[in-house]
Amino acid sequence: MTQPQHTGGRVNVLTKPAVIGSIEELRSRLTDAQSRIENARAERGEAGGTPRVVLVPTMGALHAGHLALVRRARSLGDIVVVSIFVNPLQFGVGEDLGSYPRMLEADVAALAAEGVPFVFAPTSQLMYPDGAASTRVVAGAVGSLFEGAARPGHFDGMLTVVAKLFNIVGPDVAVFGQKDAQQVFLVERMLADLNFRTRIEVVPIVREDGGLALSSRNRALEPAQRAAARALSAGLEAAASVAAQGVGAALQAAQARIDVQPLVKLDYLVVVDPRTFLPVGGEHHGPARMLVAALVGHTRLIDNVALDLS
Ligand code: AMP
């Protein structure tokens, strides 16, 4: 089934994305797509270098936050690849690997509506044929703070899969969400430290009405938990509004909003320097980022906001 759609003056024919589970097939489909675009451009007498590939790495159970990344990806290049892989390497013992939502069919339908041509959905066997014996990327000191302290090995696993996906897909650009601020920091540092050619683009956090940051894990929240979880974004908003008074005032304002919700068990609330991702001192001035993580029931939620401590 195809369906023409008008977007920004261009007419796209929407087809179901090709769902690809093999590295060789993905590479050959990308090469074909690039030559088709180059030939079409040549026929129209247009210039332009090699068509650009943009990757959006995800773990699926897609929501409007992921789709914002996909839309940004479409604006950045010629061919969008969305990867869907629940990466076992970034889950610790006792975490929600088994219960993490998996809904490939619904995800593919959502990506068809966005005009995405390729979905890379590998198996764990394809990604890690040697299992635990495989080579890994080490995230370094910042990788063991905050989310890394609560989830030892999480960032090594995340960087390892990102490095593999970049080598498999060879994107010019990859798109990440600001929701996972520590992930963004560590991916950017890995790209610089290991001299990757891919660059990344970061999309602002997409929130539901009431402020809760969208997350695949929100599906696990009961209505009362979801209502309580709004204290996190409310706390961050309160902090941002008093940031001019300094780090202490910002922390107090956020803490006050979160403490009144007994269903929200705070893990950390911290202000970091965006250049180092290390906690700032009380006298810090200039740009900063407040990070929060909490358990609501069994669901771990994270959020963050930029602060201007001027
Ligand atoms: P995940 O499927 O949770 O691994 O997320 C895949 C990508 O989507 C990551 O780069 C996330 O930061 C991003 N993302 C998830 N939720 C949101 C959100 N609410 N707003 C913006 N980006 C998001």
Side-chain angles (χ1 to χ4, degrees), residues 57-60 63 65-66 69 90 100 175-180 183 203-207 213-216:
T58 80
M59 298 204 299
H63 51 64
H66 295 112
L69 271 57
Q90 69 189 66
Y100 197 85
V175 185
F176 288 82
Q178 183 60 61
K179 158 111 185 325
D180 297 274
Q183 168 168 286
V203 169
I205 302 174
V206 178
R207 301 176 179 282
L214 294 185
S215 163
S216 306

Side-chain angles (χ1 to χ4, degrees), residues 258-273:
I258 297 166
D259 280 353
V260 292
Q261 284 297 345
L263 292 179
V264 178
K265 309 280 180 235
L266 189 62
D267 177 3
Y268 59 80
L269 176 69
V270 65
V271 180
V272 297
D273 184 329

Side-chain angles (χ1 to χ4, degrees), residues 207 231-240 254 269 290 292 303-305 307:
R207 301 176 179 282
L232 299 177
S233 53
L236 295 178
E237 210 177 296
L269 176 69
M290 178 174 274
V292 68
D303 201 346
N304 66 88
V305 74
L307 297 182

Side-chain angles (χ1 to χ4, degrees), residues 134-221:
S134 51
T135 306
R136 300 191 190 192
V137 177
V138 176
V142 171
S144 55
L145 301 176
F146 318 126
E147 280 309 282
R151 309 181 64 190
H154 167 70
F155 286 120
D156 295 358
M158 179 279 292
L159 290 179
T160 301
V161 84
V162 168
K164 286 175 70 71
L165 290 168
F166 284 12
N167 283 328
I168 291 167
V169 178
D172 297 280
V173 186
V175 185
F176 288 82
Q178 183 60 61
K179 158 111 185 325
D180 297 274
Q182 196 173 2
Q183 168 168 286
V184 164
F185 178 87
L186 290 169
V187 169
E188 272 177 341
R189 215 176 50 181
M190 175 182 77
L191 299 185
D193 286 351
L194 301 186
N195 307 95
F196 275 79
R197 290 177 50 231
T198 302
R199 66 174 185 83
I200 72 167
E201 276 279 321
V202 183
V203 169
I205 302 174
V206 178
R207 301 176 179 282
E208 53 177 56
D209 289 347
L212 180 63
L214 294 185
S215 163
S216 306
R217 291 189 165 99
N218 292 354
R219 291 165 204 272
L221 297 172

